[in-house]
Amino acid sequence: MALWGGRFSQGTADTVFALSRSVHFDWRLAPYDLRSSLAHLSVLESSGLLEKSDAAAIKAALKELASEVESGAFTANADDEDVHSALERGLNEKLGVIGGALRAGRSRNDQVTTDLRLFSIDHMLEIARQLTLLQIALLEKAEEYVNDSAPGFTHIQHAQPVSFGHELAKHAHAFARDLDRINDWLSRTSVSSLGAGALAGSSLPLDPKTTANDLGFSSVFANSIDAVSDRDYVAEALFIFSLVGVHLSRIGEEWSLWASTEFAWAKVSDSYSTGSSIMPQKKNPDMAELARGKSGRLIGNLVSVLTMLKALPFAYNRDLQEDKEPLFDSVDTLLLVLPAITGMIATTDFDREKMSLAAPMGYSLATEIADYLVLKKIPFAQAHEAAGKCVALCEKDGRGLHQLSDSELASVHPALDAGVRAVLTVDGALNSRTTHGGTAPDLVAAQISLALKINSGTMATITSAQAHFSEMMSA
């Protein structure tokens, strides 16, 4: 049933209806639309715009409709344009013309953005929960390998030895920033748009602040034109999702490399691997590859919405119908990827011996020579040059740095002596990195312990917020 048409003498062309129709994707807003309708109904009743008996009948019908939507007993049909018209049809089927009374004082413009904010908050909280579970999996895996050495990389070349736990834990800190962004986003998004009408507010005695409070929003719109045209919260959510995707893609790339025959560090669980349809020996880290690949989809959804929003004039424009599918797709994508990657990480085993043997390869201990000279008051530029010459000497015949003779060390720099060999060990290199945030195993263990404690508090906060939201939705 169309929610407009009184001034039209002709029906819409089939092609127009097909292009305008959105119920096939915005139907998932139905629970939020019904909840915002209950809040709007309460204000209509309290302001005297509806008789109490009519309001009671509409409330009962909305509750019944909500139950039918949840069970699947009521769904949209081929003639419904959008979720709002479908639900009004359902209401009218139960009540007759009185069902249309609920439309007083609101427009699909303020209605849909209120629904979309509720949907976004609900699903953002679940994504935050999944991110926290992923962080815990990373930190617990990092805890297993705190005392295991591995080469650290820059430019995909051996750089300096690191605690492998340190390497794994870095990802948890990236997701912590994502959670910080989500927290900021929740604050900015918790603004009710209901009561803004089509764009100019209403001449009816409504109370948007009461409605906002009823729906659990922290505040109400300040400008009714902005309220119906603002989709910053959609774009910002998509940015957060894109960055989460980028962080997931880094994990995907590293796990793919570590699981390769060339590295052979990671043994990915069979439960999180797939095989080949033609090569029976294959065991592919497809979850890692899919995480890497899905980042492009998440970034594409952000670009799509930003491009759609660019240069939209005045108040609401129909272009804004295009905000939902990218948002829904990104939400669904992350809720699909995050649990799979969490499981992959939690069940991966790493070859400690291979990592340890690789740690000093590529002359990764050369910096220790430079630091040794700096401690002897040699300027770092000279120390760096001397360390480089030591590497050059070793490269000629494939020796390790610790195999340089006393005379060779002295020929490179007079301050280099046999004492340097004491620092040319992986354990020595790791344990010496004691500055804040460094890779010394004791420091890394403390970093992980603190991060797990913070995560415990974060999970408690998210669980409480989800419970509060669920309570609001069931009111």
Side-chain angles (χ1 to χ4, degrees):
M1 183 188 79
L3 300 183
W4 50 270
R7 60 90 66 213
F8 289 81
S9 58
Q10 293 178 312
T12 55
D14 290 345
T15 53
V16 171
F17 181 74
L19 180 59
S20 298
R21 192 170 186 263
S22 61
V23 73
H24 52 290
F25 59 81
D26 68 17
W27 179 247
R28 67 195 298 175
L29 295 178
Y32 310 96
D33 193 81
L34 288 163
R35 181 61 185 88
S36 66
S37 291
L38 283 167
H40 183 63
L41 172 67
S42 179
V43 167
L44 290 177
E45 181 184 7
S46 64
S47 63
L49 293 169
L50 273 180
E51 296 292 338
K52 290 190 178 297
S53 58
D54 289 343
I58 294 172
K59 182 176 182 178
L62 285 171
K63 291 278 192 179
E64 186 178 342
L65 196 55
S67 178
E68 291 171 356
V69 166
E70 184 178 6
S71 69
F74 181 84
T75 59
N77 65 31
D79 296 324
D80 292 324
E81 181 182 10
D82 56 27
V83 61
H84 317 295
S85 58
L87 292 175
E88 184 161 325
R89 171 179 61 81
L91 201 58
N92 290 340
E93 287 172 357
K94 294 179 182 298
L95 298 173
V97 294
I98 190 178
L102 189 59
R103 206 192 304 171
R106 73 174 181 181
S107 160
R108 283 186 295 181
N109 295 358
D110 63 340
Q111 192 175 351
V112 70
T113 188
T114 301
D115 298 347
L116 195 57
R117 283 177 186 270
L118 290 172
F119 168 91
S120 300
I121 291 168
D122 190 9
H123 288 77
M124 187 66 87
L125 287 171
E126 179 57 22
I127 285 170
R129 191 178 78 86
Q130 292 295 335
L131 280 172
T132 306
L133 291 172
L134 174 56
Q135 279 186 296
I136 292 169
L138 280 163
L139 291 167
E140 289 180 345
K141 185 59 63 173
E143 208 166 32
E144 286 184 47
Y145 294 92
V146 165
N147 294 309
D148 294 292
S149 61
F153 296 88
T154 62
H155 309 279
I156 321 183
Q157 302 293 317
H158 284 218
Q160 292 176 305
V162 296
S163 154
F164 192 62
H166 198 204
E167 185 78 74
L168 293 173
K170 73 176 189 285
H171 294 295
H173 293 280
F175 293 123
R177 293 190 294 274
D178 293 327
L179 286 165
D180 282 345
R181 278 181 279 272
I182 287 173
N183 193 50
D184 292 342
W185 176 91
L186 286 167
S187 177
R188 281 188 291 278
T189 302
S190 188
V191 180
S192 177
S193 305
L194 205 57
L199 79 161
S202 177
S203 61
L204 300 176
L206 304 177
D207 187 357
K209 291 183 179 180
T210 296
T211 307
N213 185 63
D214 189 357
L215 293 174
F217 288 110
S218 299
S219 61
V220 69
F221 64 90
N223 180 296
S224 60
I225 299 174
D226 176 64
V228 299
S229 58
D230 168 34
R231 293 298 186 277
D232 288 5
Y233 65 95
V234 174
E236 190 177 354
L238 290 171
F239 170 73
I240 293 169
F241 298 157
S242 297
L243 207 47
V244 171
V246 168
H247 293 151
L248 287 169
S249 77
R250 295 189 64 194
I251 290 176
E253 177 73 0
E254 289 177 6
W255 248 255
S256 297
L257 289 170
W258 289 335
S260 69
T261 302
E262 285 68 27
F263 266 83
W265 290 7
K267 183 180 179 182
V268 180
S269 167
D270 287 357
S271 299
Y272 292 90
S273 304
T274 64
S276 166
S277 60
I278 190 172
M279 295 169 286
Q281 84 282 6
K282 292 296 295 297
K283 179 180 175 181
N284 301 323
D286 280 9
M287 298 308 99
E289 294 171 11
L290 285 167
R292 188 175 59 191
K294 293 289 186 183
S295 62
R297 185 174 187 147
L298 296 167
I299 294 166
N301 286 335
L302 170 63
V303 173
S304 175
V305 166
L306 287 174
T307 305
M308 178 270 291
L309 291 175
K310 186 189 76 68
L312 283 186
F314 307 124
Y316 181 86
N317 293 272
R318 194 61 179 273
D319 311 51
L320 292 173
Q321 182 170 299
E322 296 300 306
D323 61 357
K324 295 169 198 64
E325 287 179 287
L327 179 66
F328 295 162
D329 182 72
S330 288
V331 165
D332 292 345
T333 296
L334 280 181
L335 290 179
L336 194 64
V337 172
L338 286 169
I341 297 304
T342 299
M344 180 192 75
I345 289 167
T347 56
T348 298
D349 290 322
F350 292 92
D351 192 319
R352 290 177 162 90
E353 185 178 359
K354 283 184 179 176
M355 293 189 300
S356 177
L357 289 172
M361 292 174 64
Y363 303 105
S364 65
L365 295 170
T367 308
E368 307 311 307
I369 296 175
D371 288 350
Y372 180 81
L373 289 172
V374 167
L375 290 171
K376 290 194 166 193
K377 312 302 182 186
I378 305 302
F380 185 78
Q382 292 180 30
H384 185 283
E385 180 77 10
K389 287 180 178 179
C390 288
V391 171
L393 280 173
C394 290
E395 282 182 326
K396 289 179 181 179
D397 51 15
R399 285 182 295 166
L401 291 169
H402 64 286
Q403 294 176 308
L404 289 171
S405 67
D406 290 354
S407 60
E408 286 174 315
L409 290 170
S411 70
V412 168
H413 195 284
L416 269 181
D417 53 36
V420 74
R421 294 192 186 93
V423 302
L424 291 178
T425 66
V426 171
D427 285 345
L430 293 184
N431 289 318
S432 69
R433 296 297 188 271
T434 56
T435 51
H436 180 78
T439 199
D442 288 348
L443 279 182
V444 176
Q447 294 164 24
I448 293 171
S449 178
L450 176 60
L452 283 169
K453 184 177 180 181
I454 292 170
N455 274 12
S456 178
T458 300
M459 183 60 84
T461 300
I462 293 168
T463 300
S464 176
Q466 286 185 302
H468 179 73
F469 190 92
S470 179
E471 183 181 352
M472 180 279 297
M473 285 292 292
S474 62

